[in-house]
Amino acid sequence: MHPKIIPVVMCEGAGIGLWPVSRNTMPKQFIPLFGRDSAFQRTARLLSDAAVFDRLVVVASTEHRFTVVDQLQAIGVKAEIVVEPVCRGSASAVAIAAELGLARDDAALVGVFAADHVVQDGRLFVETCTRAAAVAAQGGIVTIGIPPAYPATRYGYIRPGSEITDGAHQVEAFGEATDSVQAARYLADGYLWNSGNLIFNAATMRAELEAFETDVMTSIGEAVANGGHELGFLTLEPRAFAKAPEVSITAVLERTQMASVIAGQFGWSDVGCWSAVWELSEKGANGNVVEGRGYVVDGANNLLRSEDALLTVVGVNDIAVIATRDSILVVPKAMAGKVTDVVALLTANGEPEAGSHREIHRPWGKYLSIDLDTRHQVKRITVKPGGVLSLQKHHHRAEHWVVVRGTAEVTRDDEIIIVHENESIYLPIGCVHRMANPGKIPLDIIEVQVGSYLGEDDIIRIEDIYKRC
């Protein structure tokens, strides 16, 4: 009987193919696209089958670590959370997983899974992982391939070779389709899509990384060994981590003799563009999908998604219309892959909407910018029960806080003031202040900033329970 799989979920990537909903500040893995759960939450639930999987490990960025905590708490799943100083590519991610697995068990089996992929048949997914684990327990590295539904150019490909055991084949080759003609050729030759999911013997993976990508394994091994615990997270040593070259794990899998592939029939998608969202969504009349406030007249097979504004389309077919609080995207579904080009154009022109939302999440809660001009800004701030903002001051702005729900405990210089619903408080320029939510319900306030400079870099943090000073 082999050990349980240690599941490691990688929360990397910005998901720019789903702009404007997915951006750096809140990427697609944390956004509910189908129902109430995000892709990350769906994945975490799948990997919580205690008969097959050991305790979950999640690897996240510093920016999104508290979002991981919130989303796991919302679904009642516990995990060890590891914080990457920066993203260094999939080889480093796999090296982290191997090291963490070996820290638990010399015979550890580790599964590496993406946080932003969607599986339609959870039972078959777990069954496939179990079969892969049986192969990995013999010292192997198992990739999960997906029988292709069409000649995709955005996925990598794997060619299965001779059969090792029932359903598992040696990997004969990896491929990248540069165009649809090559992708069609791969389909004709029996290639599978490369899902990026891996299940492996941790000792084997470490040995193969040491053999083929020595610098990656050395740097990551040092970063894990010299990491520390802070606020409940395992943090990797940043200087050692930064030395790791940015390398794809495919560079190892192409050279190792230990790689095999198992086909997964569980209905998989990386949800890389809006056409994929339409394909996976429940259809309404005439094949239209509407999320939020939207109406279609004399149109079919459209995707409408709105966070706030009312959307209406008339007489068009096969388009996606996506509206957030600050941006609107209109694209034919057949050209949805071009959204990444739009984001590149916005980034090159310095448009903040390329990577940032108006609603920004923080460890203590979130804030939404409602109105902004040269001398004032209005925000709606929500503080979680028990949440505490940093003790801070500003050189260029004063603030007015109006409590609209809950109770605020406000520090203003030497005073501590309780501000109740429908009450307000004034914070003059230069005063040292802090807000906390001592209650059991979320605290909502409207903040009005007035001053000559309103940028976030005019926050001088003096003390912070989240270690951001």
Side-chain angles (χ1 to χ4, degrees), residues 399-416:
E399 295 179 348
H400 304 257
W401 293 347
V402 180
V403 176
V404 295
R405 179 173 65 158
T407 299
E409 180 185 273
V410 179
T411 299
R412 184 176 62 186
D413 290 328
D414 296 330
E415 302 175 276
I416 295 180

Side-chain angles (χ1 to χ4, degrees), residues 244-360:
E246 192 161 344
V247 178
S248 168
I249 191 60
T250 304
V252 174
L253 299 179
E254 287 175 329
R255 290 175 282 176
T256 181
Q257 299 299 308
M258 309 301 293
S260 59
V261 60
I262 285 179
Q265 304 276 358
F266 40 75
W268 167 89
S269 173
D270 72 345
V271 202
C273 62
W274 287 112
S275 60
V277 174
W278 177 83
E279 289 164 5
L280 292 167
S281 298
E282 185 175 345
K283 312 297 188 296
N286 298 317
N288 292 305
V289 175
V290 179
E291 295 289 339
R293 301 172 65 213
Y295 296 88
V296 180
V297 176
D298 293 335
N301 302 320
N302 297 298
L303 170 65
L304 275 64
R305 182 184 178 99
S306 175
E307 291 183 358
D308 189 17
L310 175 65
L311 288 183
T312 59
V313 300
V314 180
V316 293
N317 303 322
D318 299 304
I319 66 169
V321 183
I322 314 299
T324 64
R325 293 184 176 96
D326 59 2
S327 303
I328 298 173
L329 169 73
V330 181
V331 61
K333 296 206 313 288
M335 297 184 68
K338 290 286 187 180
V339 171
T340 56
D341 296 341
V342 171
V343 177
L345 176 64
L346 297 177
T347 302
N349 283 278
E351 301 288 359
E353 291 84 357
S356 297
H357 292 89
R358 281 174 56 191
E359 183 174 85
I360 300 296

